[in-house]
Structure formats: structure tokens, C-alpha cells
Amino acid sequence: MCVCRPPAVCSLCFSRGLWKIFGPSETSSMSPSQQTITIISGLLLMSVSLCYCKLTCKEGHSGPTYESMQAVFDLQPFRPAVNLSNPTITNISFTLYAVLGVNEKTQILTTFLWLRLYWQHEFLVWQPDECDGVTRISLPVRQLWSPDIIVYEFVDDDVSQACPYVYVNHTGHIRWDRMLRLVSACNLEIFSFPFDVQNCTFTFGSYMHTIRDVRVSPALTFEEMSGNSKRYLEASGEWELVDILGETSILQFGIDEWDIITFWVVIKRRPVLYVVNLLIPSSFLMLIDILSFYLPPHSVDRASFKMTLILGYTVFLLIMNDLLPSTANGTPIIGIYFSVCLALMVISLLETVIITNVLHHSTMKYQEVPNWVRVVVLKHIATLICYRWPEDVQPPSVRQNDKPESSNGSSVQPASQTPAQHPINNGGIAALPELQQICQYLGDLRAHLTSLQKESELQGQWCHIGYVLDFLLFRIYLLLISCYALVIISMWCVWISQS
């Protein structure tokens, strides 16, 4: 058993202790029952605190006896300090074993930690030489006082397996290893998804005891915690640990202060899954949409092909919607990327509709091509985009210069000039009616051929206008897609390099 001081010394120290703890006004204002409870509690505390607190051992038995530790177990509700004005220092360290899940919608991070706590129990001290060289024993944690260390970001019940024992050193140093399934709130930034880096905070501190009673400090350096976590991290899935940072600070709330340790756990998403399942298929669909411009513009197959492509892209987005994170704070840039890709496909279909209208609707009316359209489209725009004219077709400027010559060199007489204007032929003999009818048929045939030639020229002009506009819009479409792709790729490369 403990060797205590004389009773007079104990009573004197006890009265001074009560005077110091409760003060003269509080002690005098207590009711008799309260004073009795206070005295009993103080006696239990003083029975150990006034002793030199060296647990005894028996010969033939290793370690302190149960009888000598029972007095300490009875003081389980009280903080194990001989001088209550001295705070109990708690050392904290943890190893991040697994990242179980990240819920972007509810802003919750689920992790699994190996938590280790150290603190000093001033009543559990013995001499190893007297106890057969035993320097460390294990005791049930529910029989001892333990610091009420919590994680301030905790938002759910701890369903991890409990560790009921602690290791106690002969100097009173206690080590408690426990497993912690931590469900914590975290402000998740998903704008750069799937190349995002998340920085979540774990704040460890006492829930009830202020800085006067419990102080907290890291048991290891933050670099050692980060290295151990990277070494033992398993079942992380799509997440990779980047670093663990931290600092100690004091939390003030009203007139009270709490000692806390803040850890910043930096994790990075592995983007391979999303690149393979989202970005590459979307890029292939956009490439097919670009190649669809090489289909004949006067064919209706291009429009139907583009409509089928848009429908397939919409189904692709519906299927992959579960892989995209969603929060009320914002939309990830990959969602904007998919929306812009769908908009570009719709623009491509609209361009096909316009070209089809130019090639078919205008040619069916056989309308003359306006002069400004011929000059702007067939001359300037065609030169700007380096449009290649067919070998049997000349540019409009050349054809206009050659048109008077070809009309002047025509050997066919006008249709209005009939044999009736030459009534005498072959020595004054009147032309036969059959010859007159043949001449009339020839004139009608010439007029019909002239009309067909004019229609063919109009159709050719409208076709070339459609081809030139198609080439122009195709190059504009390529320019838009190239600029958009460069911007997206540059932003993602910057985020990857920063992470």
C-alpha cells in the first residue's frame, strides 16, 4: 500500500486544497450535504494525491498488486493530477489508413484513422526493481480517467471497433491506441473535377476541459504523420494522399479557451477512371461530328447522321450522369465541357440545315443569284478560304468577261427570225410549209435548250455558294472547337501541375 503523510499534514493540506479549489465564499455558501459530498470526494482524491503514489508489489508476483491499484481505480472520475492547477498534457498522433468515401453533395469525407493518445497519470507510478522488473502493464481504459478528445468536424456516430485497454508505463505514462471511423464535414471544391485536390480539416481538442485543465500537443511531427499515412494508406480507391499539415492554436469562446490541434489532410483524386469513361468517349463523338462535314452537303444523309449523333451523345450523358459530382455550390468544369460539346453539335446540325436550304430550296425556285451574293461569296469568301474551283468551272469574274464574246460568236439565229422573213428562196420559189414548220420546231428546241442551260447555270451557282459557305462554316467550327479544347486542356494542365 501507499505510505501516506501524517493525518495532521493531510488535514491541513486538505483544508488548504479546498480553500484553493473552491474559495472561501463558495465553501461557506455550500449546504451541509454539498460539503459532505465535497469532503468525501476530496478525501478520496487526497488519499492518493497526498501519498507518494508508488504502487506496491508482492514477492512472487510480477507487477503492482490489485489492491494497490484499486484506490486508483476508485478515482476514475477525477483528473489524475496531484496539483490540480497543473494541466494534463495530452499528446495526439494519427495515421490515415483509408479514405472510405467522399460525398460531394452532402460535403462529407469518410476516413479511417489509427489514433494514438498519450497522457500522464500521476497516480500510477511504481518502481520496476520492486516489481520483478515489470515496466509496462495493460489496464482497462474504462477503469481510468481518459481525456475527452474529440474531432470538432465530426458529424456522425463512431461505429468503429472499440479498443478497451491501454498501456501504462511505470512512470505513469499512458498510451491508448484506438481505431476511428471519422465522418467529418469538409468544404469540397469540385470545379476542377476530375483533377481536383481537396483540403479537409481535422481539429482535435477537448470537448469540456479548458486550457487550464487539459493541454494538447502533437506526439509526432506533421512530416512523420504524413509519411506514416502514405506508407500505410490502403483501400483509398480513387483518392491519393498528398500531404498532412497542421498547427496548434487556442480556441476562444467567450471567456474560456481550449487548446486545439488543426490538421489539414490534402488528398488528390486519381483521374484515370473519369478520363477513360468520360473524356475519351466524348472526344471521339466530337471527332465523328467533325468528320461528318466531309459528307456531301447536298445529301440528306448528313443531317440525319448529325441528328443520330446528337441523340447518342445525349444518351451518353444520361448514362454517365452518376459519375459526375453535384453540389449546390457550383458545377464542375467537366459538366460545362459536356454542355458546350452538345451545343457545338447542335450548331453543326444548324449549319447543315442552312446549307441544305441553300442547295435545294433556292435552286427549286430558279432564282437569280443576287449580285452582292455572287461578289461576296463566290469571289471574296472563296478567295479567303482558298476554295478550289472545278476544272470545267471558271470563277465568276472570268465567266462574266467571256460571256459577251460567247454570245456574239453564236451562229444560231434568234428565234423570232423565221423563214417568213425570207419569202423567196431558190430562184424566187416560196418556201414550203414543211420547211416553215421545221424552222419553228428548231426555234422552240433552241429556246428550250437555252432555258435548260440557264437553269443549269443557276443551279451550279447556288451549289457553289452552298459549297463555299459549307467550307467557311466548317473552318469556323474547327476554330471554335480548337480554341475551346485548348482552353480546357490548359486549365486542366495547370491544375495538374499545381497539385
Side-chain angles (χ1 to χ4, degrees):
M1 299 297 291
C2 298
V3 179
C4 300
R5 298 176 181 179
V9 178
C10 292
S11 60
L12 178 61
C13 295
F14 176 64
S15 61
R16 289 180 179 177
L18 291 179
W19 185 277
K20 183 177 181 181
I21 295 174
F22 298 102
S25 60
E26 296 183 7
T27 307
S28 60
S29 61
M30 289 183 180
S31 62
S33 60
Q34 292 178 345
Q35 291 181 0
T36 302
I37 296 175
T38 303
I39 291 173
I40 294 175
S41 302
L43 287 175
L44 291 174
L45 181 62
M46 297 300 293
S47 64
V48 177
S49 64
L50 293 179
C51 297
Y52 290 101
C53 300
K54 294 182 180 178
L55 303 179
T56 59
C57 302
K58 291 183 179 180
E59 295 183 0
H61 296 275
S62 298
T65 62
Y66 176 78
E67 291 80 4
S68 63
M69 290 187 294
Q70 184 61 43
V72 179
F73 293 160
D74 294 337
L75 295 176
Q76 185 266 341
F78 305 99
R79 186 166 62 89
V82 175
N83 188 357
L84 294 179
S85 62
N86 295 330
T88 300
I89 299 178
T90 304
N91 299 320
I92 303 173
S93 68
F94 72 89
T95 300
L96 181 62
Y97 182 73
V99 179
L100 302 181
V102 177
N103 193 329
E104 292 85 0
K105 180 176 292 186
T106 57
Q107 300 282 292
I108 287 179
L109 171 67
T110 305
T111 54
F112 193 83
L113 308 180
W114 288 343
L115 183 62
R116 177 169 289 182
L117 301 178
Y118 298 94
W119 69 92
Q120 185 70 27
H121 200 298
E122 299 181 6
F123 302 154
L124 290 175
V125 180
W126 70 90
Q127 290 292 338
D129 298 337
E130 300 176 0
C131 300
D132 198 15
V134 175
T135 60
R136 188 175 66 172
I137 60 175
S138 62
L139 296 176
V141 67
R142 60 182 179 86
Q143 296 288 345
L144 302 174
W145 179 91
S146 59
D148 55 339
I149 301 298
I150 64 170
V151 181
Y152 291 171
E153 292 83 6
F154 212 93
V155 294
D156 200 356
D157 296 334
D158 183 14
V159 295
S160 56
Q161 184 177 0
C163 182
Y165 294 96
V166 297
Y167 267 124
V168 182
N169 197 291
H170 70 281
T171 59
H173 199 63
I174 297 180
R175 190 191 78 186
W176 186 20
D177 294 331
R178 54 173 301 194
M179 295 173 288
L180 179 63
R181 184 180 182 272
L182 180 59
V183 181
S184 60
C186 180
N187 186 16
L188 302 174
E189 298 290 341
I190 62 170
F191 181 74
S192 58
F193 174 87
F195 304 100
D196 52 332
V197 177
Q198 305 298 340
N199 190 352
C200 296
T201 304
F202 297 161
T203 304
F204 289 84
S206 174
Y207 179 76
M208 188 64 189
H209 295 88
T210 61
I211 196 173
R212 297 181 180 180
D213 297 328
V214 174
R215 300 295 302 268
V216 294
S217 62
L220 301 174
T221 63
F222 301 116
E223 292 78 10
E224 290 175 341
M225 296 185 200
S226 178
N228 294 335
S229 299
K230 292 178 181 179
R231 188 180 306 113
Y232 296 110
L233 186 63
E234 293 183 3
S236 58
E238 61 177 314
W239 294 96
E240 176 186 356
L241 179 63
V242 177
D243 199 1
I244 296 179
L245 307 174
E247 68 173 7
T248 59
S249 59
I250 296 176
L251 175 63
Q252 294 184 349
F253 186 77
I255 61 174
D256 295 326
E257 295 179 344
W258 285 266
D259 203 11
I260 61 174
I261 303 178
T262 303
F263 294 94
W264 289 281
V265 179
V266 183
I267 55 177
K268 179 176 65 175
R269 193 190 304 267
R270 293 187 176 99
V272 178
L273 172 67
Y274 301 95
V275 170
V276 173
N277 292 334
L278 293 178
L279 295 181
I280 293 180
S282 177
S283 302
F284 283 161
L285 292 175
M286 291 300 298
L287 180 61
I288 294 175
D289 183 67
I290 294 174
L291 295 178
S292 65
F293 278 92
Y294 290 96
L295 292 175
H298 58 273
S299 175
V300 295
D301 292 337
R302 179 194 281 192
S304 61
F305 179 80
K306 288 182 176 293
M307 293 179 64
T308 305
L309 196 61
I310 292 176
L311 180 61
Y313 194 80
T314 306
V315 174
F316 164 76
L317 293 182
L318 292 177
I319 295 176
M320 295 301 172
N321 189 35
D322 294 336
L323 293 178
L324 296 177
S326 60
T327 61
N329 298 333
T331 303
I333 192 172
I334 192 172
I336 302 175
Y337 167 77
F338 289 145
S339 300
V340 174
C341 288
L342 184 61
L344 289 174
M345 287 186 175
V346 173
I347 293 175
S348 173
L349 178 61
L350 180 62
E351 182 269 345
T352 302
V353 172
I354 295 175
I355 298 303
T356 304
N357 178 71
V358 172
L359 294 177
H360 292 274
H361 184 70
S362 299
T363 55
M364 290 177 62
K365 294 182 179 180
Y366 303 115
Q367 297 178 354
E368 288 283 347
V369 179
N371 186 41
W372 67 272
V373 174
R374 184 184 296 108
V375 173
V376 173
V377 177
L378 298 181
K379 185 177 180 180
H380 298 290
I381 295 180
T383 305
L384 179 64
I385 64 177
C386 301
Y387 178 71
R388 294 182 179 180
W389 295 90
E391 298 179 356
D392 56 342
V393 178
Q394 296 179 349
S397 58
V398 178
R399 293 175 65 251
Q400 289 178 359
N401 295 333
D402 295 343
K403 185 175 181 179
E405 298 177 0
S406 61
S407 60
N408 294 333
S410 179
S411 60
V412 182
Q413 298 295 331
S416 59
Q417 185 178 356
T418 60
Q421 297 177 0
H422 305 279
I424 301 175
N425 192 9
N426 295 331
I429 301 175
L432 297 176
E434 290 79 3
L435 295 178
Q436 295 179 0
Q437 188 175 5
I438 291 174
C439 291
Q440 184 178 0
Y441 289 159
L442 291 175
D444 295 339
L445 181 60
R446 181 182 181 278
H448 180 68
L449 293 176
T450 303
S451 176
L452 291 178
Q453 183 180 4
K454 183 177 181 180
E455 293 174 3
S456 178
E457 291 178 357
L458 290 176
Q459 185 176 3
Q461 290 179 5
W462 283 111
C463 284
H464 288 297
I465 291 175
Y467 292 153
V468 171
L469 292 178
D470 184 60
F471 273 54
L472 175 65
L473 296 178
F474 175 56
R475 280 159 176 75
I476 295 176
Y477 185 71
L478 280 180
L479 181 62
L480 289 176
I481 290 182
S482 301
C483 295
Y484 177 64
L486 287 176
V487 171
I488 295 295
I489 294 174
S490 301
M491 294 178 65
W492 278 333
C493 290
V494 169
W495 289 328
I496 293 175
S497 61
Q498 289 178 354
S499 61

